[in-house]
Amino acid sequence: MLDRREFLAASAFAGGVWVLGQPGECRAEPVPSASQKWPRNYFLQGNFAPVSEEVTETELKVIGQVPKELHGVFVRNGPNPQFPPLRHYHWFEGDGMLHAVLLRDGKASYRNRWIRTEGWKEERQAGKALYPSFLDPLDGTNPPRFKNTANTSVLWHHGRLLALWEGGPPTEVRLPDLETVGLYTFGGKLKHPFTAHPKVDPVTGEVLCFGYNLVAKPYLQYSVIAPWGQIISTTAIDLPRPVMMHDFAVTANYTVFLDLPEVFSLERALRGQPVLKFEPDAGARIGILPRKADGTTIRWFTIPPCYVFHTLNAWEEGDEVVVVACRTKQFPQSVEFAPPSDGSAHPNPQDSEAVLYQWRCHLKTGKVVEGPLDDRGTEFPRVNERLLGRRTRFGYCGRSGSEMFDGLVKYDLVKQTHLVHGHGAGRFGGEGVFVPRPDAKAEDDGWLMTYVFDRNTGKSELVVVDCRDFAAPPVARILLPVRVPYGFHGIWVDLS
Ligand SMILES: [Fe+2]
């Protein structure tokens, strides 16, 4: 076993090749939580349950063939609570853990690491959970402290990897070893929380991002980050009430905001009711702002109430801005911010199913034409991000299954057809991240990657699906040394 200094030196750059560790190395940190009592809670059971080990493993077994032209790291974020909760627990609030698979020359290696946020370190020091859940009742005396878990997604920009959580600033993490550097505030220029869904413009290299504040005005701020990584502008956008805004969209010229009525109310929480609640009477709007304009010039388009966690893409067609997203008629009950009455959570996936949906906002007439593009339940939409903000023909989603996604769907938005890649009986996957083939000429020339959990074996794998032969078995099933709990969003960092 190498000591820590030798290990970091070896893993950072070995003979000109990034690797995720040394052959045979498997580091497992002592995790005091392993022997503690965990409460009954849907999001702490099955493959939602956290893992207690940090592992590095080279030379993973592969069923099939890892495409030899791929050289990069697939990194996915997700909640992995370090300690049993004080009282309640929601899936959205577990400590962030990154799971990374590095591919090169047809070979694969793996590493998982907790993101060592300030809250994670405090709790590790104490040997127990210290932070409350946002499901816990407020006592009206002390304002609650919430932990920036950095657990939701990752951004790779200007050679920097950032783990994101929409309630606060990003946390910088080093590649390839996944060591936490610390909070990243863009040199102190970041003045608002940072969405977990920033958009990197594939043409300009800019990052567009926003942050919402549930307590103090401005309730929404929007920033543009230059290709060289500096925040070049921030503007406030006036909202009548604080709402949970998880995602947005961009086109080549516009930024699109979703003001949807998942409304925050401290007064409601002090009455013992949920702090966030779907209030359809508050109305819903799509806001369209020229990319670098002042927030006061935003134009709002009224739409029927709904909720959207994730957009697929947006683009311009003539005088219209087209937005495609996974839409639910109300806030999904499966992730509702209310403590279950019996101390556990029993989400009903049928109540929560989002469907792929389109809004066409006419910039001259102010009219909106909207409607579903499919009737099956899908979520975690992604596109080939080389075309983000431009008209995309293909979209990729997870297909809603009994406990997570039981397959992937490839939508052809031009032909209005779709293909399904099923994960197989008892197998459930996450978001499919599109990885373009180097030198690809066609939009769908690439692969979707997702972690799949096999309930039959209790094991996880990274599945690589050829998007041009979508219904076929995966070209590679990369078998992982530890279970990968269900999580949120991932990216492919190209190192070629
Ligand atoms: Fe998300």
Side-chain angles (χ1 to χ4, degrees):
M1 184 74 78
L2 299 173
D3 72 28
R4 180 179 170 76
R5 186 178 51 77
E6 289 169 332
F7 165 72
L8 289 175
S11 63
F13 207 79
V17 179
W18 278 13
V19 294
L20 284 185
Q22 292 298 308
E25 181 202 5
C26 179
R27 185 180 82 167
E29 295 214 339
V31 179
S33 61
S35 59
Q36 298 193 14
K37 186 164 166 41
W38 290 78
R40 191 169 75 88
N41 181 304
Y42 183 84
F43 293 122
L44 295 170
Q45 293 168 359
N47 196 43
F48 289 100
V51 293
S52 57
E53 289 182 317
E54 295 182 311
V55 170
T56 304
E57 189 68 58
T58 58
E59 308 210 12
L60 301 175
K61 288 197 181 113
V62 178
I63 298 171
Q65 180 71 54
V66 174
K68 285 210 161 50
E69 57 268 63
L70 282 179
H71 178 206
V73 193
F74 176 77
V75 190
R76 200 220 64 190
N77 205 342
N80 195 84
Q82 184 182 195
F83 295 106
L86 294 172
R87 187 169 176 189
H88 295 300
Y89 174 74
H90 190 285
W91 191 33
F92 292 176
E93 56 193 357
D95 299 289
M97 177 178 270
L98 297 173
H99 299 263
V101 172
L102 185 144
L103 304 178
R104 185 184 169 92
D105 297 331
K107 293 197 164 70
S109 54
Y110 168 82
R111 170 180 293 228
N112 68 320
R113 290 290 182 276
W114 262 300
I115 302 159
R116 282 143 168 81
T117 62
E118 290 309 307
W120 186 96
K121 287 191 279 191
E122 277 179 64
E123 293 185 332
R124 170 56 66 106
Q125 182 76 24
K128 61 179 183 179
L130 299 173
Y131 285 79
S133 164
F134 51 68
L135 300 184
D136 291 344
L138 300 179
D139 63 10
T141 53
N142 300 312
R145 288 194 317 147
F146 294 112
K147 183 169 46 173
N148 179 346
T149 56
N151 71 1
T152 314
S153 69
V154 268
L155 168 67
W156 173 255
H157 187 247
H158 193 55
R160 182 172 280 118
L161 186 71
L162 300 176
L164 306 177
W165 176 73
E166 69 194 38
T171 301
E172 184 179 359
V173 175
R174 204 168 55 197
L175 267 186
D177 54 34
L178 304 184
E179 294 289 325
T180 302
V181 178
L183 280 182
Y184 188 76
T185 61
F186 297 85
K189 291 232 167 88
L190 181 65
K191 301 298 183 195
H192 54 77
F194 197 94
T195 175
H197 291 284
K199 310 298 178 201
V200 182
D201 188 296
V203 176
T204 68
E206 291 168 322
V207 178
L208 300 316
C209 67
F210 70 93
Y212 66 92
N213 190 318
L214 293 175
V215 180
K217 285 194 167 190
Y219 294 136
L220 178 61
Q221 293 184 82
Y222 160 64
S223 292
V224 179
I225 300 167
W228 52 90
Q230 284 190 335
I231 291 180
I232 52 176
S233 67
T234 296
T235 188
I237 295 169
D238 189 38
L239 296 182
R241 58 188 73 79
V243 293
M244 180 182 170
M245 194 179 289
H246 184 66
D247 198 357
F248 72 145
V250 298
T251 72
N253 295 293
Y254 298 98
T255 302
V256 180
F257 297 93
L258 300 165
D259 177 15
L260 307 176
E262 180 70 2
V263 180
F264 175 87
S265 166
L266 211 50
E267 293 74 25
R268 195 199 304 117
L270 288 169
R271 293 196 303 269
Q273 294 172 11
V275 70
L276 281 156
K277 192 175 174 203
F278 190 72
E279 294 183 346
D281 292 346
R285 307 181 297 172
I286 292 176
I288 298 181
L289 179 71
R291 180 174 293 186
K292 291 180 182 168
D294 188 273
T296 56
T297 65
I298 194 166
R299 194 162 161 204
W300 292 105
F301 296 74
T302 300
I303 57 172
C306 65
Y307 199 72
V308 169
F309 264 101
H310 299 114
T311 62
L312 177 87
N313 200 9
W315 59 86
E316 296 155 39
E317 276 185 48
D319 291 325
E320 290 181 316
V321 167
V322 180
V323 184
V324 180
C326 292
R327 172 193 188 264
T328 46
K329 290 176 185 161
Q330 56 184 358
F331 194 81
Q333 287 184 16
S334 62
V335 288
E336 202 174 24
F337 299 114
S341 55
D342 66 350
S344 65
H346 299 286
N348 180 354
Q350 306 302 321
D351 292 333
S352 311
E353 282 191 349
V355 299
L356 200 65
Y357 200 89
Q358 177 179 268
W359 296 260
R360 304 182 75 94
C361 305
H362 200 289
L363 296 173
K364 288 207 168 139
T365 66
K367 291 213 163 83
V368 182
V369 176
E370 62 170 88
L373 298 174
D374 194 9
D375 58 4
R376 81 192 58 233
T378 56
E379 245 294 0
F380 284 32
R382 295 294 288 256
V383 292
N384 179 344
E385 288 177 358
R386 291 177 174 175
L387 288 168
L388 196 80
R390 282 72 186 172
R391 187 174 185 174
T392 33
R393 175 175 172 183
F394 299 107
Y396 307 91
C397 295
R399 182 177 70 175
S400 300
S402 61
E403 62 183 62
M404 202 55 189
F405 304 127
D406 65 4
L408 296 160
V409 182
K410 175 186 180 184
Y411 286 103
D412 183 330
L413 301 174
V414 173
K415 286 190 176 172
Q416 300 185 354
T417 58
H418 69 270
L419 293 167
V420 172
H421 176 95
H423 292 314
R427 291 164 56 88
F428 299 95
E431 173 188 61
V433 175
F434 184 85
V435 179
R437 186 188 304 274
D439 304 321
K441 299 287 188 292
E443 181 186 328
D444 62 343
D445 191 3
W447 301 269
L448 276 199
M449 291 189 193
T450 188
Y451 291 124
V452 168
F453 171 69
D454 190 332
R455 205 164 51 188
N456 310 296
T457 62
K459 296 192 168 170
S460 298
E461 52 195 67
L462 177 64
V463 163
V464 183
V465 176
D466 186 341
C467 290
R468 306 194 85 181
D469 194 7
F470 197 73
V475 295
R477 291 171 53 200
I478 300 164
L479 308 183
L480 301 174
V482 292
R483 186 171 61 78
V484 176
Y486 297 135
F488 302 132
H489 304 290
I491 53 168
W492 171 253
V493 179
D494 188 77
L495 300 173
S496 59

